[in-house]
Amino acid sequence: MRANKNNLIELIEYLLDINIDKIQILGYESTKGVVDKFKVNFSEEIEFINSLAKFIVTTKKDISKINISFLKNCGEEYLKKLTNGIYEIKNGGYHKCPIERDTIFLDNRGKVFYCDSYNVFKVVDENKIYEIDSLIDRKLSEISKRNEFIGDIKNIIDHKKIFDNWEPCSKCKYLYNSCIPCLKTAFKNLQNDVIFEKCYEYNKLTDKLY
């Protein structure tokens, strides 16, 4: 379901009124037609989060049904502080690399990818050519056991050093627990000190609330 950002709080309130079991907001982004879709900047996102916080504090409805899936844990922590603990942090696994969630992506030819970006292979080793498996040729159980790309990615994550030099990941208590950031995004920003800027901004705002 898509909703106008100006009416999103009203929509949440309506869904709570009709006793929906769970309200999961998967993304907060702008769209222009179907193909032209882009992420909103931090100032727009924080405007919505602040409005949501006011609603959570003032409403008498059961807000435990609300799950803001697009927020990483540091954003959820800000929302929790802003609502004096009324909103509980609940995004346990949404921000883990798909490989760590044992998730795969299939195209219409049966080819198996391990990242929804599809072109993540050069992240690990730009000089290495990885084989793209297909369900036409092998069973999924065989692919998951023998795939070299999965093994290399898991090896990088297991060594827990990849994010050590970057802010805010290096100091984040959620790193490698409920959050394993996107490796492709990280490698694209190797020259920057701050890799995930929204996390960095949320941490700054949360610090001001203490």
Side-chain angles (χ1 to χ4, degrees), residues 70-101:
F70 68 86
L71 270 186
K72 291 191 176 180
N73 290 131
C74 49
E76 282 199 299
E77 187 165 342
Y78 170 72
L79 183 57
K80 181 177 180 178
K81 290 288 181 184
L82 208 58
T83 59
N84 297 316
I86 299 175
Y87 180 84
E88 291 291 335
I89 296 174
K90 52 177 72 76
N91 278 343
Y94 293 109
H95 301 292
K96 286 186 176 182
C97 167
I99 290 177
E100 282 298 296
R101 300 198 312 266

Side-chain angles (χ1 to χ4, degrees), residues 6 15 25 42 46 52 97-98 103 115 124-125 146-147 151 163 170 183 199 203-204:
N6 297 320
L15 293 174
I25 304 177
F42 182 73
I46 202 66
L52 179 63
C97 167
T103 301
C115 173
V124 182
D125 185 345
R146 62 174 290 280
N147 186 271
F163 298 102
S170 59
L183 295 172
C199 292
N203 285 340
K204 288 199 303 183

Side-chain angles (χ1 to χ4, degrees), residues 7-23:
N7 301 320
L8 191 51
I9 301 298
E10 289 84 351
L11 176 60
I12 292 171
E13 186 171 19
Y14 169 73
L15 293 174
L16 291 173
D17 280 339
I18 62 174
N19 203 28
I20 291 290
D21 291 336
K22 183 178 181 180
I23 301 171

Side-chain angles (χ1 to χ4, degrees), residues 97 120 123 153 156-157 162-163 181-188:
C97 167
V120 73
V123 164
I153 284 285
I156 289 174
I157 294 172
I162 188 169
F163 298 102
C182 172
L183 295 172
K184 182 189 173 193
T185 301
F187 273 85
K188 280 176 62 179

